[in-house]
Amino acid sequence: MTRNRPFTITVLTLGLVFLAAPLVFVVINSFNDSSYGAWPPPGFGLRWYRRLFEQDGLLPAALASLWIAALAAAIALAVGTAAAVSLTRFRYPGRGLVDALLMAPLIVPKVAIGLGAFILILKAGGYGQMFPLVGLHVILLIPFAINIIGGALVRIPRVYEQAARDLGAGPVRAFVLATLPQLRTSLGAAFALCFMISFDEVDATVFVVAPNQDTLPVWMYQYMQQYQDPTVAALSTILIALSTLLVVVLVSRARTTIVAGLGGGAAR
Amino acid sequence: MSDTITAPPGAPPAADPPPGRPTRRRTAEAPFARWLLVAPAVLLMAVIFIGSLVQLGDLALRPYANGTIGTGVTFDNIRRFGADAYSWQVLLDTVVLGVVCAVITVVIAYPMALALGRMTSRWGRSIAITLIFAPLFTSVVVRAYGWNVLLGDGGVINRLLLSLDLVDRPLRIMYEYQAVVIAMVHVMLPFAIFPLMGVIQHVHRDVLEAAEDLGASRWYTFRRVILPLTSHGVVLTLQLCFALTISAFATPALLGGGRVQVLSGLVYTNVGAVDWPMAAVQSFVLLLVALVMVALVNVLTRRRRAMA
């Protein structure tokens, strides 16, 4: 291993610098004191944070995103866990087809889903409401939920559940008492990942939102198309701080699960 | 052995039957449970996902004239797409962008995944994985802003190059093809590193030790052992990155500044211009490209598997 030290360190450092660079400069620029975000910053101050609080549509957009992400992640996790149990525990005709259907949103371009959902919502009379957005996000999240939970289910030894069955517990009771507790970390990781994916979703959501109905990323997208000042940087810094906190917790608590789930989820 | 290696990155759990575990009993005694359990997910998917695609199909076949969408069925929109040279050019550009970004991403991600796998320090690993995760949890819009700060005419990189006298006028990166490629690679890198880490970790230690015992150099081992054993994962990761790139819309729009046009951008423009049927046709073309790529990868990997 020692022979590869320089290679390992160089490759990783360069890659990590590339990954971190835009985030680092977003944070630095959010404290820029110049009137249009000149670089290098002539001075540092909090003017863009103050500007942030003067934005009208921002708070509703942030609250909408929080609600949508929380609801969509919860629903995706509930139906995804149930589906994962079925897909990992049973072999039956049609299973491959069901699996393909549930994974399909990973392959179908987001614009196609977004535009189709827009027409569907329009026809169903739900345009401008929040619930259809939750539904759209749920189907985008289901593949990730299934992959993380399915990955964990395959790895969990089933002897405890079988012991519970042998001792007379029904299938549901045995699952809830013996298997579910072992799934706890994975469920937490899956919820966090789904929450963040939904919270950041813009490619499909932008088609579906009504003019007076923004989510946070859509608000940012529209703001950035009009202005280039560091107001978005201030907002981004707050979001980066929050998500870094979440990532640190996740990596320390559920690294293998989430890495495996993301890997499986990503490469299908 | 060959199974664990040729399995897709991260070994898709749903496809793998738990080895050596008695599933027979459960299947026999719970004939409806399996359907009951998948039903909610399948129902949601059928109503929202399939429903959306059906609406899209309906839209694509509606007559469109003078800004109004009529009723009935017509193939006019498909003909309009076929006759529009600009659409074809954008389609070609989109596919090329997808290939370029996918290849660059995997070329960067592979050695990073390899290096991560070789890392022995727990702390270093945790920090590296956190840094790889961090951008994943940061909106692409935020990251587009970050690249703007870095790559703009008066941005960090140009200031640095100018002050070092390496260039005499700012390099034009922002709102050009390069900016879109850089940002797309940044978006996809985490999505590529983790699956590749999965396949690389599946390469058995014994095989590497055998190669070393037989006198293979590190580079030879990599070229003749590790790379072939992980090629399946590499192909799948390429496909994933391609799919993500061709459907990305916010990143090219924000960093391409209208100069870099991709098909998903045309879809958005046409939605704004009320030519929804055209937008629907273009969405389907994009879907078709993604499906062709999946089919291609399936054929490729199946042949590889047959040879193995």
Side-chain angles (χ1 to χ4, degrees):
Chain A
M1 289 297 135
T2 36
R3 262 194 294 169
N4 285 86
R5 266 263 148 110
F7 167 79
T8 309
I9 290 172
T10 317
V11 162
L12 262 183
T13 312
L14 284 178
L16 294 179
V17 165
F18 173 68
L19 281 172
L23 309 192
V24 169
F25 284 99
V26 163
V27 174
I28 297 175
N29 215 26
S30 75
F31 297 105
N32 195 328
D33 202 22
S34 92
S35 55
Y36 56 98
W39 191 271
F44 291 95
L46 292 174
R47 68 185 287 173
W48 303 111
Y49 288 87
R50 281 195 294 275
R51 172 73 64 88
L52 195 59
F53 287 101
E54 294 159 9
Q55 301 298 323
D56 272 342
L58 184 60
L59 192 66
L63 287 177
S65 275
L66 278 174
W67 272 112
I68 291 167
L71 260 175
I75 297 171
L77 202 56
V79 302
T81 303
V85 170
S86 169
L87 289 170
T88 54
R89 298 259 160 123
F90 306 109
R91 298 186 73 66
Y92 44 89
R95 201 193 65 153
L97 203 67
V98 169
D99 190 38
L101 172 70
L102 296 179
M103 292 301 140
L106 288 179
I107 289 166
V108 176
K110 294 263 192 77
V111 282
I113 304 177
L115 178 58
F118 167 60
I119 306 296
L120 186 73
I121 291 166
L122 209 58
K123 283 194 176 171
Y127 187 58
Q129 290 168 26
M130 196 179 82
F131 208 66
L133 286 182
V134 176
L136 172 65
H137 282 207
V138 166
I139 60 150
L140 295 176
L141 297 179
I142 282 177
F144 292 97
I146 292 181
N147 272 312
I148 296 181
I149 304 300
L153 277 173
V154 172
R155 258 173 266 121
I156 289 175
R158 285 176 65 189
V159 284
Y160 301 104
E161 197 177 326
Q162 278 155 2
R165 294 301 313 274
D166 289 342
L167 292 170
V172 177
R173 196 173 146 85
F175 179 80
V176 170
L177 289 180
T179 305
L180 212 53
Q182 303 180 69
L183 268 182
R184 237 182 359 221
T185 345
S186 305
L187 286 170
F191 182 84
L193 184 73
C194 288
F195 183 91
M196 291 307 296
I197 292 174
S198 163
F199 197 76
D200 282 346
E201 216 299 316
V202 57
D203 288 320
T205 314
V206 79
F207 286 92
V208 177
V209 289
N212 59 344
Q213 177 201 31
D214 279 337
T215 65
L216 204 55
V218 171
W219 184 90
M220 286 197 285
Y221 176 75
Q222 281 158 357
Y223 188 92
M224 259 193 77
Q225 291 228 307
Q226 291 174 47
Y227 314 100
Q228 293 289 314
D229 67 48
T231 306
V232 168
L235 177 57
S236 304
T237 302
I238 297 171
L239 293 178
I240 289 171
L242 291 177
S243 57
T244 305
L245 210 67
L246 191 72
V247 171
V248 169
V249 172
L250 269 182
V251 169
S252 61
R253 296 220 40 193
R255 189 175 71 208
T256 42
T257 334
I258 198 160
V259 168
L262 193 68
R268 293 275 253 185
Chain B
M1 178 71 227
S2 77
D3 263 339
T4 44
I5 290 158
T6 49
D16 284 347
R21 284 175 192 143
T23 49
R24 198 172 0 102
R25 197 182 68 176
R26 220 129 300 215
T27 315
E29 88 187 35
F32 294 113
R34 55 203 184 190
W35 293 113
L36 216 61
L37 285 166
V38 279
V42 168
L43 204 68
L44 274 170
M45 208 58 92
V47 172
I48 303 173
F49 179 67
I50 304 284
S52 296
L53 292 184
V54 167
Q55 293 300 331
L56 199 65
D58 174 44
L59 201 56
L61 299 177
R62 291 290 192 89
Y64 173 84
N66 308 323
T68 47
I69 301 161
T71 49
V73 174
T74 173
F75 292 102
D76 269 358
N77 306 306
I78 300 168
R79 235 170 275 139
R80 269 201 296 151
F81 181 94
D84 182 17
Y86 181 64
S87 288
W88 284 101
Q89 185 57 48
V90 173
L91 171 62
L92 184 69
D93 289 349
T94 306
V95 171
V96 171
L97 183 75
V99 172
V100 167
C101 290
V103 170
I104 294 177
T105 305
V106 170
V107 165
I108 298 175
Y110 198 99
M112 281 184 79
L114 207 60
L116 262 172
R118 284 186 192 160
M119 214 155 152
T120 40
S121 143
R122 261 185 80 88
W123 262 99
R125 251 178 98 91
S126 288
I127 290 170
I129 289 179
T130 307
L131 280 174
I132 296 168
F133 260 119
L136 200 66
F137 284 171
T138 311
S139 169
V140 291
V141 181
V142 173
R143 292 191 257 172
Y145 180 83
W147 286 117
N148 201 346
V149 175
L150 274 165
L151 304 175
D153 283 0
V156 178
I157 288 175
N158 270 320
R159 291 279 166 172
L160 191 71
L161 291 176
L162 285 170
S163 66
L164 293 175
D165 276 331
L166 288 171
V167 293
D168 46 11
R169 59 195 170 84
L171 291 178
R172 182 117 187 109
I173 314 171
M174 196 55 203
Y175 303 128
E176 297 286 350
Y177 199 73
Q178 304 89 290
V180 177
V181 172
I182 292 171
M184 279 312 303
V185 169
H186 187 256
V187 169
M188 291 182 303
L189 206 50
F191 283 106
I193 292 175
F194 288 122
L196 287 174
M197 243 171 91
V199 270
I200 290 170
Q201 274 165 359
H202 270 109
V203 176
H204 221 278
R205 282 217 166 277
D206 298 350
V207 185
L208 300 180
E209 273 165 28
E212 199 177 335
D213 289 348
L214 291 170
S217 69
R218 287 267 167 180
W219 169 242
Y220 192 82
T221 309
F222 170 73
R223 205 160 47 86
R224 296 300 298 272
V225 181
I226 303 177
L227 202 57
L229 286 177
T230 53
S231 63
H232 181 82
V234 170
V235 173
L236 281 177
T237 310
L238 279 171
Q239 179 215 316
L240 171 82
C241 292
F242 179 82
L244 286 174
T245 309
I246 62 163
S247 65
F249 146 73
T251 303
L254 288 171
L255 291 167
R259 285 158 185 269
V260 185
Q261 193 58 271
V262 289
L263 208 51
S264 52
L266 278 194
V267 172
Y268 190 66
T269 312
N270 276 324
V271 169
V274 206
D275 194 351
W276 295 355
M278 187 51 133
V281 171
Q282 286 163 338
S283 300
F284 269 116
V285 171
L286 210 54
L287 175 54
L288 206 64
V289 172
L291 289 180
V292 166
M293 201 45 98
V294 172
L296 204 69
V297 166
N298 276 345
V299 169
L300 269 177
T301 51
R302 196 163 298 156
R303 184 175 302 159
R304 204 181 294 275
R305 236 178 225 177
M307 286 190 320

